[in-house]
Amino acid sequence: MDQTGFRDWLCCRLVEESRDAIIFADKNGLIRLWNVGAEAMFGYRATEMEGQSLDRIIPEALRARHNEGFRRVMAAGESRYAADLLAVPGLRKDGARISLEFTITLIKDNQGEVLGAAAIIRDVTARWQRDQELKKRLAALESGVEPGAREEGILPIF
């Protein structure tokens, strides 16, 4: 296998076998690539998702906002989430909500026209749940502190 062939093969293997979800949606928002990581994360097989709208994995209350943003990014040809992580809830096939973080890469043809967007997505539900529990515990602890004690540096001993 020559270097170009090896590189193409390696890129395919990386996408297909990644445990992170890797999804490509065309400029109309239709899914054209759904890897095994996406299958495991969302519960849909690639054959169920390819050709379908991204709406299937977006909670209903967020769909209009997502679609508006997606159209804006496709028209502008750039997204700030190429560098910044986007944190949003997602929807599994069984209806369960999950917490997601991802980046977006716009895929352009040789003339620079946007063909669609690729997302590399990680399920951070367990971390989000731990953070929420810690916030609750902290709030409970702080509610036991006498007013003004924090400012004076005096904390009650339990």
Side-chain angles (χ1 to χ4, degrees):
M1 186 180 309
D2 67 2
Q3 185 61 29
T4 302
F6 175 75
R7 188 167 193 262
D8 291 347
W9 174 85
L10 181 59
C11 288
C12 286
R13 300 276 32 102
L14 287 169
V15 170
E16 290 173 6
E17 297 179 20
S18 174
R19 298 316 300 161
D20 287 335
I22 300 177
I23 299 170
F24 173 76
D26 66 20
K27 62 184 177 182
N28 297 314
L30 299 179
I31 296 165
R32 300 298 177 193
L33 176 77
W34 186 266
N35 77 338
V36 297
E39 287 182 350
M41 188 176 298
F42 293 101
Y44 290 101
R45 308 246 339 124
T47 54
E48 294 176 272
M49 292 304 289
E50 290 173 352
Q52 300 299 312
S53 169
L54 287 166
D55 285 352
R56 293 180 88 178
I57 61 171
I58 299 169
E60 189 172 344
L62 301 175
R63 288 177 189 160
R65 182 174 162 193
H66 168 267
N67 289 327
E68 176 187 324
F70 190 87
R71 283 190 296 274
R72 189 172 52 249
V73 166
M74 291 300 109
E78 59 185 53
S79 171
R80 72 178 192 186
Y81 298 110
D84 297 337
L85 277 177
L86 179 60
V88 298
L91 195 59
R92 289 183 42 83
K93 182 179 183 176
D94 64 9
R97 285 176 66 118
I98 55 177
S99 296
L100 307 171
E101 287 183 348
F102 61 96
T103 55
I104 295 171
T105 301
L106 295 182
I107 306 299
K108 299 177 181 181
D109 65 15
N110 291 338
Q111 290 72 44
E113 183 179 334
V114 176
L115 300 175
I120 300 175
I121 307 169
R122 182 158 290 165
D123 181 346
V124 295
T125 304
R127 185 182 74 209
W128 186 85
Q129 289 170 339
R130 282 191 308 271
D131 289 350
Q132 294 306 306
E133 182 58 34
L134 286 173
K135 287 177 185 178
K136 287 179 188 175
R137 291 175 64 195
L138 181 60
L141 286 171
E142 287 178 341
S143 69
V145 176
E146 295 175 11
R150 195 173 313 124
E151 291 81 13
E152 297 173 31
I154 303 168
L155 297 176
I157 298 174
F158 296 98

